[in-house]
Amino acid sequence: MLILGLETSCDETAASVLEVENDQVMVLSNIVSSQITLHAKWGGVVPNLAAREHLKNILPVIETALKKAGKKPENLDLIAVTNGPGLIPALLVGTTTAKTLSYLWRVPLIGIHHIEGHIYANFISNKIDKLKFPILGLIVSGGHTQLILMQKHLSYEIIGETVDDAVGEAFDKVARILSLGYPGGPAVAKFADAFSGEKKFQITLPRPMLKSANFNFSFSGLKTAVLYATKKNPENLKDHNYISEMCQEFQTAVTDVLIAKTIRAAKKHTPKTILLAGGVSANMALRKKLELSVKENLKNTTCLIPELTYSMDNSAMIAIAGYYRWKNLKNKKGMEDTWKNMETSASLKL
Ligand code: KG4
Ligand code: ZN
């Protein structure tokens, strides 16, 4: 079946066309129009500016996605759109556009939870045959940090989550403290990866909740530790070596905790697959460390990590989640009228 995926929950206007048959996926087009430069001067995403930009871009982006795929609206079998969570003004542009096109083209519409999309980004991979249930998912994004168990498709049990900041949020806040600009995560990662290895400043940060018996996380204190350390000697902020060492220690602290808890959760729940999902899955250190750690500690478990293109916000992940939701629907009759009352996963507690 042919699916148009749409995503406008934050600062990316995205449209993709996917051909999916028997769970085998072909991404015919994947267009992402980023607003990074627009928001950079504000140090973060401004919701109303994002909405205005989505409004300007959404139809050209959809048109380009269809054109690149060589498909016409009448070829489509389904439209899938992110309808939460995210910035409300931004989400409204995507959902209103999707509803209008569904009405106009008489194509069924499905609303997708953004994090469900991130999880299903792993199902675009050509390693789909290795994706076996039960799955343990480590979700790391700007708004979510969770460990979830999936016994089957579209079923989620949260077994641990952050009690304060999400991991991406912590990366962004640390970038702000160190004046590295927006978007913060990639900037912190870049400095961390450039670390020479010489601990000139002897920076050590805590590994919050590493030893706690549950599978929860906490990153707020870690960010505060960075703040206090830099406040003590503000002149260090001018030194690239200091920034690099701080970023490296922060990234190591975060990845140490994320991975230790994932491995411990896996030992308890014995999943067949561990998957990584969310924007922070673009972090190279996390990708490498998780893969290695699964290989070393869990003999019969496959570790899957989304391709970089599908790690960050995109609409191919929304389209593929739409495919599995559609497949799961018992009664598809009358679905051409879903622009009135769309079937949605947005209320999931993910
Ligand atoms: O999933 P995502 O694109 O948006 C949400 O759904 O929240 O995640 C965005 C988050 C931001 O906090 C961003 O700083 C972080 O992912 N991020 C990274 C990297 N690339 C993006 N964090 C660490 N290292 C990266 N390479
Ligand atoms: Zn996201």
Side-chain angles (χ1 to χ4, degrees):
M1 65 187 288
L2 199 71
I3 309 164
L4 172 68
L6 301 175
E7 154 66 39
T8 66
S9 68
C10 193
D11 57 349
E12 245 95 53
T13 318
S16 312
V17 178
L18 264 64
E19 179 93 62
V20 193
E21 295 305 337
N22 299 322
D23 302 352
Q24 297 298 317
V25 188
M26 265 206 333
V27 179
L28 303 183
S29 63
N30 185 37
I31 311 297
V32 182
S33 167
S34 172
Q35 305 174 5
I36 282 179
T37 45
L38 175 75
H39 299 288
K41 59 176 176 284
W42 304 99
V45 183
V46 184
N48 286 355
L49 280 186
R52 224 182 287 169
E53 202 65 9
H54 285 311
L55 202 52
K56 199 163 81 189
N57 292 332
I58 185 115
L59 289 179
V61 164
I62 293 172
E63 220 175 15
T64 311
L66 282 169
K67 202 167 163 193
K68 190 155 180 239
K71 300 291 179 187
K72 297 206 154 41
E74 56 266 32
N75 302 133
L76 291 172
D77 299 298
L78 182 70
I79 299 174
V81 62
T82 308
N83 71 332
L87 307 171
I88 298 294
L91 285 163
L92 281 173
V93 177
T95 48
T96 308
T97 306
K99 281 193 163 210
T100 310
L101 295 179
S102 165
Y103 171 71
L104 193 71
W105 296 340
R106 295 280 148 183
V107 176
L109 175 63
I110 276 187
I112 295 296
H113 191 295
H114 181 77
I115 296 299
E116 184 167 70
H118 275 301
I119 293 167
Y120 274 86
N122 284 281
F123 288 76
I124 298 174
S125 150
N126 50 12
K127 293 189 198 129
I128 183 102
D129 303 338
K130 297 198 179 127
L131 254 163
K132 300 217 163 55
F133 291 95
I135 292 173
L136 174 67
L138 173 62
I139 317 298
V140 283
S141 79
H144 290 71
T145 306
Q146 293 176 325
L147 275 167
I148 53 146
L149 262 185
M150 292 174 74
Q151 299 294 348
K152 57 182 178 137
H153 276 296
L154 311 173
S155 143
Y156 311 100
E157 184 197 345
I158 300 167
I159 58 165
E161 61 189 331
T162 181
V163 295
D164 42 53
D165 291 352
V167 62
E169 188 183 355
F171 265 97
D172 293 337
K173 285 179 176 168
V174 164
R176 213 166 300 151
I177 294 166
L178 302 176
S179 304
L180 303 183
Y182 158 88
V188 170
K190 203 169 148 196
F191 272 95
D193 296 344
F195 177 56
S196 66
E198 189 199 345
K199 280 228 167 204
K200 220 169 116 192
F201 298 88
Q202 298 298 321
I203 301 169
T204 49
L205 294 172
R207 269 58 176 164
M209 295 181 78
L210 183 68
K211 301 250 152 63
S212 70
N214 56 29
F215 300 125
N216 288 339
F217 304 97
S218 165
F219 296 108
S220 163
L222 189 53
K223 160 212 74 193
T224 311
V226 175
L227 181 68
Y228 286 164
T230 51
K231 268 195 168 165
K232 236 194 256 168
N233 294 302
E235 70 282 1
N236 280 343
L237 287 175
K238 295 189 201 112
D239 187 334
H240 264 225
N241 292 323
Y242 178 83
I243 303 279
S244 261
E245 188 176 327
M246 181 61 87
C247 289
Q248 199 273 344
E249 174 64 10
F250 171 76
Q251 183 172 274
T252 307
V254 167
T255 49
D256 279 355
V257 179
L258 287 173
I259 289 166
K261 293 234 158 173
T262 306
I263 299 294
R264 221 182 305 146
K267 285 190 171 158
K268 178 167 178 200
H269 294 280
T270 57
K272 290 206 171 84
T273 308
I274 288 184
L275 63 76
L276 188 61
V280 184
S281 71
N283 185 282
M284 283 303 170
L286 177 61
R287 294 168 80 92
K288 281 188 205 147
K289 252 166 103 167
L290 181 65
E291 216 160 22
L292 197 71
S293 207
V294 170
K295 207 179 273 174
E296 279 174 357
N297 294 289
L298 308 162
K299 292 293 163 255
N300 299 313
T301 314
T302 308
C303 176
L304 287 181
I305 293 172
E307 281 174 39
L308 269 181
T309 328
Y310 308 121
S311 285
M312 305 290 284
D313 284 351
N314 67 88
S315 47
M317 69 186 200
I318 302 301
I320 188 66
Y323 164 80
Y324 283 97
R325 284 240 153 235
W326 175 255
K327 209 168 101 154
N328 192 51
L329 273 185
K330 299 236 165 10
N331 185 4
K332 299 188 176 71
K333 220 171 121 238
M335 283 299 283
E336 62 281 6
D337 273 351
T338 34
W339 52 271
K340 283 184 199 160
N341 189 11
M342 71 176 146
E343 178 77 24
T344 175
S345 66
S347 57
L348 278 178
K349 289 226 170 342
L350 264 178

